[in-house]
Amino acid sequence: MELSGFYKLSVKERVAKIKEIAGLSEEEAKVLMDSGALKLEIADRMVENVIGAGHLPIGIATNFKINGREVLVPMQIEEPSVIAAASHAAKLCLPDGFTADADEPIMIGQVQFIRAKNAKASVKKIEKEKKKIIAAASEFAKQIEKYGGGVKDVYAKAFKTERGDMVVVYFDIDVRDAMGANTINTILEGVSPTLAEYIDGECRVRILSNLAVKRKAYAKAVWKKEAIGEDAVEGVLDAYEFAKADVFRTATHNKGAMNGIDAVALATGQDWRAVEAGAHAYASMDGYKSLTHYEKNENGDLVGRIELPLAVGTVGGAINTSPTAKLCLKILNVKSAKELAMVMACVGLANNFAALRALSTEGIQRGHMKLHARNLAVIAGAKTPEEIDAVARALVEKKEYSVDAAKKILEGMRR
């Protein structure tokens, strides 16, 4: 639908227009105007055509000890059981908790030249003139250089494509505590005229890569057999083999890790689409593979590991404008993007372990539906916290998890 000049309207005027077109009630329009902690005038400067702000719960995952430090982990997610699962998984590996590490924040930028004449010779020229190119690129990296970052390397590759020979120039750029997209793209656009002096072709795409293979995070935990039981150890190992063997299972297996990683990303104002893209592209590099690894040590305990690219930041982007993102980072008490990536990797491993443990023992739905019961109570029409809790308890006791069952319970309570 064409709405000429919609972007020129104030938020209030946009809501009025949408109310008229969509037939919203006065009460429904008020819901859009309730933006919570994010003021509408700020939201209106973050994205286009703003008519409100969405709301997802922020919860705290407890029991996390990472590299000897106790951490409270904010997670923003709509799905019940994810935060509880992460907290319980973290508790089960205490007192040692998780160990974690992360690479230096090196991101990859790419500049594409199409219809390149003598592409292989151009690749050699880029290698020969590397110092000059880095110097030219560094002119556009002054801001990040102040913090110890900057352009670290440049190299090129030649490709034969259906549209002719192509040369792609790669830049390794240390972006410090930023996610780095804007920094990298500025550098690439600035240096492309210099590259054109060495490549006989037409410059096209200049963009970062979300496949941040030089910026990975790693985490490890040991769940002792005495804490989780030998059956759970064997069950997780069997579930892990399933994920290794069948790509249809691998996708959902990796989603189990991303449940936790994305929730922390949302809470802290990260580009969670970039995080997802990088994780799944990394898993696909040598045939789609598991982001986690499990084995049994000599004591019969379960050892879990995770490894994936995590391009996250503690400065820039929505972090500067979202009040809740700032608070969540403060709660985490991380001092750098590397520390944030380590926390996210640990949460991903915790959620992945919790899912495998549940799937291979009592089943995923048992705990999930208990927590989902409160949502069903709200959908059924429960209004007060007391009503919601009472309906949820009744659903759990009856083991009936449906809106119809919740409605019957609610009707009985109100008679």
Side-chain angles (χ1 to χ4, degrees):
M1 179 182 293
E2 184 179 347
L3 290 173
S4 181
F6 189 68
Y7 71 97
K8 296 179 181 178
L9 302 178
S10 69
V11 176
K12 192 173 182 179
E13 289 169 334
R14 287 188 208 121
V15 171
K17 179 73 73 174
I18 295 300
K19 177 187 174 187
E20 178 187 347
I21 295 170
L24 302 182
S25 68
E26 191 67 35
E27 198 63 35
E28 288 169 330
K30 284 181 181 178
V31 171
L32 287 174
M33 295 296 290
D34 180 7
S35 62
L38 180 63
K39 294 179 180 179
L40 283 175
E41 56 263 33
I42 300 299
D44 195 31
R45 286 159 177 78
M46 292 173 71
V47 299
E48 304 77 33
N49 293 344
V50 165
I51 62 165
H55 303 276
L56 291 177
I58 298 175
I60 292 289
T62 59
N63 306 316
F64 275 84
K65 182 189 278 188
I66 300 172
N67 293 338
R69 183 174 77 90
E70 293 183 344
V71 183
L72 293 172
V73 184
M75 299 175 70
Q76 188 167 1
I77 193 167
E78 86 295 341
E79 184 178 347
S81 79
V82 173
I83 297 172
S87 300
H88 189 54
K91 186 176 182 179
L92 288 173
C93 69
L94 290 174
D96 296 328
F98 298 83
T99 56
D101 199 1
D103 296 333
E104 291 301 309
I106 301 293
M107 296 290 287
I108 298 169
Q110 297 175 288
V111 180
Q112 175 203 34
F113 283 82
I114 61 170
R115 290 186 278 277
K117 297 176 183 177
N118 206 341
K120 289 183 178 179
S122 294
V123 170
K124 290 180 180 179
K125 283 182 183 178
I126 297 299
E127 182 62 33
K128 182 180 178 182
E129 304 296 341
K130 178 180 291 193
K131 289 184 178 179
K132 289 181 182 178
I133 294 168
I134 291 176
S138 295
E139 289 299 312
F140 304 94
K142 298 299 183 186
Q143 186 65 26
I144 203 71
E145 284 179 351
K146 291 192 297 186
Y147 302 98
V151 181
K152 300 302 179 184
D153 198 9
V154 62
Y155 44 98
K157 294 180 183 178
F159 297 92
K160 286 192 174 296
T161 79
E162 292 182 3
R163 292 176 61 81
D165 287 353
M166 181 190 302
V167 173
V168 178
V169 184
Y170 299 76
F171 287 83
D172 289 353
I173 302 171
D174 186 331
V175 294
R176 293 291 86 197
D177 288 324
M179 181 270 181
N182 291 332
T183 297
I184 292 166
N185 296 341
T186 297
I187 294 170
L188 299 180
E189 290 178 8
V191 77
S192 57
T194 299
L195 296 176
E197 296 175 16
Y198 306 109
I199 301 172
D200 189 358
E202 183 181 347
C203 185
R204 282 289 198 195
V205 176
R206 296 154 291 177
I207 191 72
L208 88 160
S209 171
N210 290 129
L211 182 52
V213 294
K214 299 186 179 184
R215 195 181 187 181
K216 291 185 287 188
Y218 316 83
K220 175 186 174 182
V222 178
W223 286 275
K224 294 181 179 178
K225 63 182 179 183
E226 293 83 6
I228 65 173
E230 292 187 20
D231 184 55
V233 172
E234 299 300 328
V236 170
L237 291 173
D238 287 336
Y240 172 55
E241 287 300 318
F242 184 9
K244 287 167 61 181
D246 186 332
V247 68
F248 290 95
R249 172 62 201 140
T250 316
T252 312
H253 172 94
N254 285 344
K255 189 262 184 182
M258 300 312 293
N259 273 342
I261 291 169
D262 284 347
V264 181
L266 272 171
T268 57
Q270 307 302 314
D271 183 346
W272 55 269
R273 289 89 55 210
V275 168
E276 278 279 339
H280 293 296
Y282 180 68
S284 302
M285 287 183 73
D286 301 307
Y288 197 63
K289 61 182 182 294
S290 168
L291 295 170
T292 56
H293 172 86
Y294 295 92
E295 61 187 25
K296 191 162 49 174
N297 67 15
E298 58 187 15
N299 296 320
D301 304 324
L302 182 72
V303 181
R305 294 183 177 85
I306 189 169
E307 174 186 312
L308 76 164
L310 276 176
V312 296
T314 54
V315 295
I319 299 160
N320 292 339
T321 48
S322 168
T324 53
K326 290 179 183 178
L327 288 174
C328 287
L329 282 170
K330 186 173 183 179
I331 292 167
L332 271 172
N333 193 25
V334 292
K335 306 302 182 188
S336 67
K338 285 179 66 175
E339 279 190 56
L340 176 59
M342 286 187 266
V343 170
M344 291 170 69
C346 292
V347 176
L349 178 58
N351 275 115
N352 187 254
F353 160 79
L356 297 192
R357 179 173 175 263
L359 283 167
S360 60
T361 52
E362 76 267 17
I364 200 78
Q365 288 298 86
R366 181 179 171 186
H368 179 79
M369 292 309 293
K370 283 183 180 180
L371 293 169
H372 189 51
R374 285 179 293 184
N375 283 345
L376 294 173
V378 173
I379 295 168
K383 300 295 185 185
T384 66
E386 292 76 19
E387 272 190 340
I388 293 167
D389 289 342
V391 172
R393 280 195 301 270
L395 288 172
V396 172
E397 288 170 7
K398 293 175 178 289
K399 295 182 180 179
E400 294 182 24
Y401 300 105
S402 69
V403 174
D404 287 342
K407 284 181 178 178
K408 288 179 182 178
I409 292 167
L410 189 60
E411 288 170 3
M413 288 170 50
R414 287 176 173 174
R415 283 177 190 155

